[in-house]
Amino acid sequence: MTTITSISIVVPVYNEEDNLPILFAEIDRAMSRTNKDWHVIFIDDGSSDKSLDVIRTLSEKHDTVRYVAFANNCGQSAGFKAGFDAATGDVVVTMDADLQNDPADIPAMLQEYERGYDMVIGWRAKRQDSLVKKLVSRFGNAVRNRMSHETVKDTGCSLKVMRTAMAQRIPMLTGMHRFLPTLMKMQGATVSEVKVNHRPRQHGVSKYGVWDRAKATFFDLLAIRWMQSRSFNYVIKERK
Ligand code: UDP
Ligand code: MG
């Protein structure tokens, strides 16, 4: 059993101006059910629309809103990393900014974490994406699980709860956000999966091409395999 005292919700944002006010209202509603101390950290990843203005306005109105704004677009992994570094909560919750993840799932994930896990990951059982995206993702998950000896059903789901101290130690490089469960397990983390809601994108556009992402992820997988073969967890017997 673990008791969570405070929560940092880390949300990378790239051109999501119309989604942000709705997302914050949904997070606010969901988190008020938890009776826990929480805040959101938006990471503006060099947006060229009005996302940063919207984030500034939200942070002026609500003391639960913090933000980090990048000078240029660095990618979602960099966004997560900046969020982990800025987090002051003992757990971080990560999620997308485009309303595809549902903040209403967070309280149940926190409860699961408190049962004694270091990480709880969402599984989009009824994924609301195009058929091509779903098929490529299903194939990608199978290849990834086979090559990295994993059993995770859906690493691509951004909605995750993680022990902050462990998240901060992950060697984050571009693309590594797609392997967070494996990178956490390399540090000895225990991981649980829970079914979560998934919704179609209503505002703005997807930032990824299906095939480019599949190709990049495959090469990243080779790096993950190498890291797995080189990772160690020493146990200290004695120290002076
Ligand atoms: N995102 C980001 N930087 C990028 C690309 C995407 O911060 O360079 C954010 C984006 O705003 C969204 C999340 O990452 O909150 C997932 O992106 P997207 O919805 O485009 O991915 P998809 O759902 O199409 O896989
Ligand atoms: Mg999306």
Side-chain angles (χ1 to χ4, degrees):
M1 289 284 287
T2 319
T3 306
I4 299 170
T5 48
S6 68
I7 302 148
S8 299
I9 303 173
V10 170
V11 189
V13 175
Y14 185 48
N15 294 344
E16 307 285 2
E17 57 184 4
D18 294 326
N19 291 313
L20 295 172
I22 309 170
L23 178 68
F24 178 71
E26 288 187 350
I27 291 175
D28 194 31
R29 200 176 318 129
M31 295 312 290
S32 60
R33 291 201 275 127
T34 64
N35 288 322
K36 304 242 185 237
D37 180 40
W38 64 276
H39 55 267
V40 187
I41 308 172
F42 289 112
I43 295 64
D44 179 58
D45 186 13
S47 295
S48 54
D49 69 355
K50 293 202 168 54
S51 291
L52 182 54
D53 291 335
V54 176
I55 292 169
R56 282 195 199 105
T57 307
L58 284 170
S59 81
E60 276 157 23
K61 282 197 203 146
H62 307 274
D63 55 12
T64 45
V65 177
R66 307 179 188 177
Y67 67 90
V68 175
F70 290 167
N72 52 322
N73 180 239
C74 296
Q76 215 177 332
S77 281
F80 284 132
K81 173 64 180 155
F84 296 161
D85 289 346
T88 52
D90 46 330
V91 304
V92 286
V93 174
T94 56
M95 66 187 304
D96 285 345
D98 61 355
L99 303 174
Q100 290 207 256
N101 296 136
D102 187 347
D105 286 314
I106 297 173
M109 294 179 78
L110 295 173
Q111 268 177 16
E112 178 73 358
Y113 180 95
E114 287 189 321
R115 290 177 61 202
Y117 294 100
D118 300 304
M119 180 177 202
V120 178
I121 59 181
W123 165 30
R124 298 164 294 181
K126 290 188 186 151
R127 196 166 158 181
Q128 302 297 316
D129 278 319
S130 70
L131 185 63
V132 174
K133 213 176 211 175
K134 283 193 283 196
L135 289 175
V136 171
S137 166
R138 191 170 302 173
F139 179 70
N141 272 317
V143 174
R144 197 203 53 248
N145 280 342
R146 202 184 164 92
M147 285 181 64
S148 57
H149 314 290
E150 274 291 357
T151 53
V152 172
K153 293 184 193 74
D154 185 16
T155 36
C157 178
S158 288
L159 189 54
K160 294 181 168 86
V161 178
M162 302 161 76
R163 189 176 299 281
T164 306
M166 284 181 149
Q168 288 173 338
R169 283 200 299 268
I170 291 174
M172 284 297 270
L173 300 165
T174 294
M176 292 297 106
H177 70 275
R178 301 197 181 96
F179 300 92
L180 288 175
T182 305
L183 292 162
M184 286 285 281
K185 283 182 193 172
M186 278 183 209
Q187 301 183 49
T190 52
V191 179
S192 173
E193 294 172 84
V194 299
K195 276 190 193 174
V196 294
N197 190 18
H198 192 240
R199 308 177 290 188
R201 194 187 249 280
Q202 307 278 7
H203 310 284
V205 292
S206 169
K207 313 300 182 292
Y208 297 104
V210 177
W211 301 110
D212 286 349
R213 172 157 53 187
K215 205 165 79 185
T217 306
F218 179 74
F219 288 111
D220 292 344
L221 179 57
L222 301 179
I224 289 287
R225 258 168 64 109
W226 174 79
M227 282 165 76
Q228 280 181 315
S229 74
R230 287 294 193 241
S231 80
F232 49 75
N233 271 317
Y234 53 75
V235 177
I236 297 174
K237 189 172 71 180
E238 214 171 303
R239 191 198 326 244
K240 192 175 175 210

